[in-house]
Amino acid sequence: MKEDFSFSTRFKVRYAEIDGQKIVFNSRYLEYVDVCVTEFWPWTGIEALPEWQDTEFNVRRTEIDYLKPFRLGDEIEAFMRIERIGNTSLMQHFELCHAHTGAVHCVVKMVIVNVDLTTGRPVPHGVVIRAYLEKLAAR
C-alpha cells in the first residue's frame, strides 16, 4: 500500500482494452478509475448511512495525466483518496500503478458533485456525510 492512500484495488488488463499499438486505449483509464470508485464506496461503509440515500455523486471534471502505457496482461493497482472536500463537491485523487513494479502509469484527479436524486441539482453535503467524508480524507 502506498503511504498516502488507505485504499487500493487490483485487476488485469484484458485483450479488449488494448488498441492497435498493443497498449491500453486512452479511454480505458477512466474505466479503471470507475472500477476503483465502485470498490471504494462500499469499502468505506458510507452506503449504510440513512443520510446517504437521497443524494449521489456525479462527475463534474476530470484531469488525466498519462505517464506510461499499460499493456496486455499487466496487473494494475488502482489507488484512491479524497483530496479535498468542498461545499457540494469532492476532489478524488487516483494513481494507476503497475502492481508488481510500483511504477505510476497514470494520475487522475476527478471532481464529483453531490446531487439531489429528486431534483438533479447540486446540494451541500449534510452534516453527517461531511463528518464521514472528513474521516475518510484523514485516513
Side-chain angles (χ1 to χ4, degrees), residues 32-46:
Y32 295 159
V33 165
D34 189 59
V35 168
C36 189
V37 167
T38 300
E39 298 292 328
F40 176 76
W41 289 115
W43 173 83
T44 68
I46 199 169

Side-chain angles (χ1 to χ4, degrees), residues 6 9-10 16 23 28 38 50 55 66-67 71-72 77 79 82 96-97 100 104 113 115 125 127 130:
S6 59
T9 188
R10 288 184 177 206
I23 60 175
R28 297 294 183 156
T38 300
T55 63
Y66 300 99
L67 304 171
R71 299 184 180 280
L72 178 63
E77 186 162 13
F79 294 90
I82 296 172
L96 303 178
C97 301
H100 301 289
V104 179
V113 177
V115 175
H125 306 295
V127 175
R130 176 173 282 285

Side-chain angles (χ1 to χ4, degrees), residues 67-132:
L67 304 171
K68 183 178 179 182
F70 285 110
R71 299 184 180 280
L72 178 63
D74 283 348
E75 187 172 1
I76 298 170
E77 186 162 13
F79 294 90
M80 181 193 159
R81 71 172 178 254
I82 296 172
E83 194 164 271
R84 185 180 54 77
I85 302 169
N87 186 41
T88 63
S89 66
L90 293 179
M91 180 179 284
Q92 300 169 305
H93 180 101
F94 302 86
E95 291 187 11
L96 303 178
C97 301
H98 193 286
H100 301 289
T101 68
V104 179
H105 285 233
C106 185
V107 176
V108 178
K109 292 192 179 210
M110 181 179 287
V111 175
I112 56 176
V113 177
N114 190 38
V115 175
D116 180 271
L117 291 174
T118 304
T119 67
R121 304 286 305 155
V123 292
H125 306 295
V127 175
V128 171
I129 297 300
R130 176 173 282 285
Y132 204 91

